[in-house]
Amino acid sequence: MSSSADTRLPRAERAALARLATDRLRTAAVDAVAIGWVDNAGLARVKAVPVGGLVHAASWGVGAAPCFDAFLVDDSTAEPVTGPVAGPTADGTAPDPAAPPAGSGAVGDLRLYPDLDRLVPLAAQPGWAWAPADRYTQQDTPHPGCQRLFARRAEAAARARGLSLRAGIEVEWVAALAGPPEEEPRYPTAGPAYGLQRLTDLSDYLRDVLRALEQQGLNVLQIHPEYAPGQFEVSVAPEGPVAAADTSVLVRHTVRAVSARHGLRASFAPAVEPGGVGNGSHLHLSLWRDGRNLGHGGPGPHGLTGEAEAFLAGVLAALPELLVLGTPSPAGYLRLVPSRWAGAYRCWGLENREAALRLVTGSEGERADTANAEIKCFDGAANPYLAVGAVLAAGLAGIDGGLRLPPETTVDPARLAPGTVARLPADLSEALAAYERSAVLREALGEPLYRAVLAVRRAESALFAGRGAEEIIAATRWRY
Ligand code: GLU
Ligand code: MG
C-alpha cells in the first residue's frame, strides 16, 4: 500500500479547472486562497495565494519546506529517526537505517497542490477561500511524507477490494472568551452540561457556526452543548475517508473563524482543564460493498457481516498503535481516562460510551443506512488523514487475518474487577512501543512517513516528559 501513484489530472486540465474556479471565486468577491495541510503534530498549517495565483498554484504547486514534517506542537522541530527502529518491517527484513527525506534541516522544498474539488469560499472569512493540499516533490512525484496522499492510498487499497469506508469525524471544542492566551480560560456561558441555557447564552454564535458550515456545503447532522464548561460539538454526515478528513479540517477552521468574530477563542485540544472532561474527535465508520452497509444484516454480533466484524476486530487489535496517530499528544492521555466517555478501555460494546470501540446500530428500520462503529479514544490532536488511513490499514489487515471480535463488554468496564478489560496505553510512550512493533502501519505508511511520525511523537514525548498536567495543558490548550 505504500507505493505512491499520482492521482492528479494532467496539468493542462488542472489549469483549465482553476481558471473556471477563479472566475467563480472572483464573482464571490474572494481575494485570497488559503492552501492548507495538516502536519504530523496535528496542526493545520497554511500558505496563501491571491486569487489571481490559483491557476499557477493548481498547475505548478506552491512552495513549502519539507521541514514541516518534523514540526512539533510548540513549533520546534524533531530530529529525524535515522537508526534502526525496534520492530520488524512488513517483509521481515532488517529496518532501513537511512534518514527520511524530510528531515528537520533548512534545505529542500516541496509543492502544495490545492485540491480544486474541495475549494470553497469561507463563509466566516469574507474574501477568503480554502482548499486542502496534496504535497508533491519538485520533480513532480508524490511526496512520501504527505499525509493526505497516504489517506488516498488507503482509500484506494480498500476500493481495489471492492470495499469503501464511510467516515465522519465529530468535532468537540471548548469556547472561551478571547483573552491573552496565557491566562486561564474564562467561559462565555455558565450553562450546565448539555444545557439549553448554553444555547440561549450563545444563540447568535451557534447559529453563525451552523450557517457558515452550511453555506460551505457541509451537511450538519447535529450541534449541541457538551459536558465540560463552554464545550460544544458538531457532527456532519458521513462521506469517504479523505473527504471526511478534509471536512473535519474545514469544520474546525470555520468554528475558529466564527469564534473570532464573536470575541471567542476555540480550543480543540484534548485537555483544556486539569481533571476535566476533554475534547474528543470520535471517528465514525461503516464499511460498504456494492452499495450495501456491511455492518447490517449479517450473522455476526448485532448484525455485523463477517467482513465488517473482521475489519473492526483488526481495528480493535491495533488500537494501542493506532493511538500514535489518533491520540498522538501527551496531552491526550490526560483526557483518555475512565469515566469521561473518552473510551479508555480496549474493548467494544453496543452503545457503550466507555468502550474505545462503540457499536452504533441506529433505530430499527433505518439500520441498513445508519449502522456504524465509533472509535471514541481519538482526539483533536490527531492528523485526521493519518487517523483514517491508519484505521483503514488496520481494518483491512483484520479482514486478511480473518479476525473475530472478542466477547462484547456490555457494562461500564470501570465497574468490572480490575484487569477484566484491558486499559488502552496510559501514555504516549506505551503507545509508541506498540507502534514500533506494528508491521501493518509501517508497511501502510511507508518508511519515510512512518519515521517522520515516529520522530515527531518521540520528540513530543520528550518535550513533555516530567511535566505536570497543568503545564502540558497550558502548552497545548490553544495550539490545535
Ligand atoms: N468529551 C468526551 C471525549 O473526550 C466525549 C463525550 C461524548 O461521548 O460525546 O471524548
Ligand atoms: Mg461528544
Side-chain angles (χ1 to χ4, degrees):
M1 205 165 90
S2 60
S3 68
S4 314
D6 188 343
T7 51
R8 296 167 302 172
L9 293 169
R11 181 168 289 125
E13 283 179 49
R14 297 203 300 269
L17 287 173
R19 273 191 287 276
L20 291 174
T22 303
D23 291 344
R24 278 198 304 276
L25 292 182
R26 286 198 196 279
T27 308
V30 168
D31 298 304
V33 183
I35 301 172
W37 77 103
V38 184
D39 69 13
N40 291 322
L43 270 60
R45 311 270 182 188
V46 73
K47 291 290 187 89
V49 296
V51 70
L54 182 63
V55 173
H56 188 269
S59 309
W60 298 99
V62 174
C67 67
F68 288 120
D69 287 345
F71 265 48
L72 309 188
V73 65
D74 68 346
D75 296 339
S76 64
T77 54
E79 283 306 312
V81 173
T82 51
V85 176
T89 51
D91 61 4
T93 58
D96 172 11
S104 57
V107 179
D109 210 30
L110 295 167
R111 310 300 298 175
L112 304 173
Y113 283 89
D115 185 342
L116 298 178
D117 288 341
R118 287 302 304 238
L119 178 66
V120 63
L122 292 172
Q125 280 175 275
W128 283 86
W130 168 86
D134 290 320
R135 296 186 297 153
Y136 283 74
T137 67
Q138 286 182 327
Q139 288 68 43
D140 218 24
T141 56
H143 171 47
C146 177
Q147 301 85 354
R148 193 167 184 266
L149 289 177
F150 159 66
R152 280 182 185 271
R153 288 197 302 275
E155 195 172 330
R159 203 182 311 121
R161 299 158 174 245
L163 291 168
S164 59
L165 191 78
R166 294 181 74 198
I169 298 174
E170 289 179 5
V171 173
E172 291 186 341
W173 79 97
V174 167
L177 297 170
E182 61 281 3
E183 263 180 17
E184 290 299 305
R186 289 179 301 126
Y187 302 105
T189 168
Y194 309 97
L196 184 58
Q197 189 191 327
R198 287 198 197 169
L199 257 57
T200 31
D201 289 350
L202 292 174
S203 172
D204 290 347
Y205 169 62
L206 294 168
R207 185 206 51 199
D208 284 354
V209 169
L210 204 53
R211 193 183 270 176
L213 294 173
E214 293 198 327
Q215 278 173 5
Q216 291 165 182
L218 299 179
N219 187 355
V220 176
L221 298 179
Q222 221 186 90
I223 185 164
H224 66 270
E226 261 287 347
Y227 191 88
Q231 194 179 34
F232 295 92
E233 171 180 326
V234 69
S235 51
V236 291
E239 51 198 324
V242 175
D246 287 338
T247 293
S248 78
V249 175
L250 181 58
V251 167
R252 283 164 64 153
H253 186 67
T254 305
V255 168
R256 223 178 270 125
V258 175
S259 300
R261 295 171 84 79
H262 284 264
L264 301 173
R265 183 180 287 125
S267 172
F268 303 90
V272 182
E273 295 274 4
V277 168
N279 289 316
S281 189
H282 308 169
L283 171 60
H284 286 263
L285 43 103
S286 54
L287 195 65
W288 296 66
R289 178 185 288 288
D290 299 329
R292 177 170 169 234
N293 184 349
L294 299 176
H296 174 75
H302 306 292
L304 294 176
T305 62
E307 234 171 352
E309 181 180 352
F311 186 93
L312 294 179
V315 172
L316 187 62
L319 273 182
E321 52 267 32
L322 287 173
L323 289 188
V324 168
L325 306 150
T327 313
S329 161
Y333 298 82
L334 301 172
R335 160 190 170 260
L336 192 57
V337 293
S339 305
R340 307 235 186 114
W341 288 8
Y345 288 91
R346 188 182 181 180
C347 61
W348 73 279
L350 181 67
E351 296 292 6
N352 190 336
R353 287 181 178 75
E354 285 293 340
L357 194 62
R358 168 189 173 209
L359 215 62
V360 184
T361 52
S363 303
E364 241 169 84
E366 62 165 3
R367 291 184 175 163
D369 209 35
T370 54
N372 72 89
E374 178 186 33
I375 301 179
K376 287 197 66 99
C377 48
F378 289 2
D379 66 42
N383 176 315
Y385 303 98
L386 292 179
V388 296
V391 162
L392 259 169
L396 294 180
I399 292 178
D400 288 342
L403 299 194
R404 304 287 302 271
L405 283 169
E408 178 175 3
T409 301
T410 55
V411 296
D412 179 348
R415 293 181 180 273
L416 299 171
T420 313
V421 177
R423 280 280 308 272
L424 283 170
D427 58 33
L428 179 57
S429 14
E430 212 187 302
L432 271 170
Y435 178 82
E436 288 182 36
R437 288 191 300 270
S438 172
V440 167
L441 293 185
R442 189 167 187 172
E443 161 78 13
L445 288 157
E447 200 63 17
L449 183 52
Y450 175 81
R451 281 174 182 257
V453 168
L454 186 58
V456 167
R457 303 276 55 107
R458 278 182 179 170
E460 280 195 9
S461 192
L463 183 68
F464 293 117
R467 290 166 73 178
E470 305 235 349
E471 238 185 307
I472 296 174
I473 290 172
T476 52
R477 187 186 277 128
W478 304 115
R479 303 298 289 173
Y480 296 105

